[in-house]
Amino acid sequence: MPPAPAARKPRAALAELLAGNRRFVSGQPVHGHDVTAAAAVASGDQQPYAVVLGCIDSRVPLEAIFDQTFGSICVIRTGAHVLDRAVCGSIEYVVGQLGVRLVMVLGHERCGAVGSAVEALRTGRRPGGALGYVVDRIAPAVYEVGADDPDAHRLAIRRHVRRTVGTLRADDLLARPVAAGEVAVVGALYDLATGEVALLPED
């Protein structure tokens, strides 16, 4: 009998997630968008094998681009996958309580939130309200690549993914299982033009 989804090793979980993306890109999804209430009911107790932290962008529906059905992955979405205590606590929950072994941070090309941070740093005009908080969380990535670099937007998207991965790997409740190889935290990038997800190389 194959292991329950949550019991998969990090490498097997990652392979399954990327295999789903290949099905999506090839136009041959198993689940696609044809999901029904009956399928939701049939999913029973949730046994997710991965949690994907992505952006709120409406062009990046995470279950669809990984060709996953009800109960298979946990999804968290914030502008430019910005972390806060609620997001970190949610990831700690699915890892600690549901046994999930894989955490993926998924950025995407032409991210509007990252673009807002680049613009704010270039002009010195920080947005008000809670949007300012989001921009502040992205700003370190923009500083690192250089706000005045003509390619700052593209570079900051990748840097911000790597910074988010690093923060999660150092999280109080994730650091030990990550160090032991029991849990993997990986960064990836979604290409809006092709639909492909590519893993980002380690720094």
Side-chain angles (χ1 to χ4, degrees), residues 1-176:
M1 175 181 293
R8 293 177 184 159
K9 299 292 186 184
R11 184 175 298 178
L14 182 58
E16 170 58 25
L17 206 57
L18 295 178
N21 179 245
R22 288 193 294 273
R23 294 193 300 271
F24 169 76
V25 171
S26 70
Q28 298 178 318
V30 173
H31 306 291
H33 292 281
D34 185 21
V35 292
T36 64
V41 172
S43 65
D45 293 338
Q46 66 167 331
Q47 289 187 316
Y49 68 87
V51 55
V52 181
L53 170 60
C55 183
I56 60 170
D57 194 296
S58 60
R59 300 166 294 179
V60 193
L62 298 179
E63 289 90 348
I65 68 173
F66 288 112
D67 188 32
Q68 300 298 306
T69 191
F70 294 97
S72 56
I73 62 174
C74 292
V75 167
I76 303 171
R77 299 177 68 170
T78 66
H81 53 80
V82 161
L83 294 173
D84 62 16
R85 288 179 62 80
V87 171
C88 291
S90 298
I91 294 172
E92 291 172 355
Y93 172 79
V94 297
V95 170
Q97 301 299 315
L98 301 182
V100 164
R101 304 290 186 89
L102 176 69
V103 180
M104 176 179 281
V105 178
L106 184 67
H108 68 91
E109 301 289 7
R110 306 199 303 274
C111 178
V114 174
S116 294
V118 172
E119 181 67 13
L121 293 183
R122 283 178 174 172
T123 64
R125 294 193 295 269
R126 177 185 180 275
L131 177 56
Y133 172 87
V134 173
V135 165
D136 290 346
R137 302 284 77 75
I138 302 168
V142 181
Y143 280 123
E144 288 180 10
V145 302
D148 293 328
D149 188 312
D151 205 19
H153 190 180
R154 186 185 69 85
L155 295 173
I157 288 168
R158 288 154 175 77
R159 174 54 55 188
H160 182 52
V161 171
R162 292 187 175 101
R163 287 181 58 86
T164 305
V165 167
T167 299
L168 287 173
R169 287 176 176 170
D171 177 271
D172 288 345
L173 297 186
L174 300 181
R176 188 204 60 77

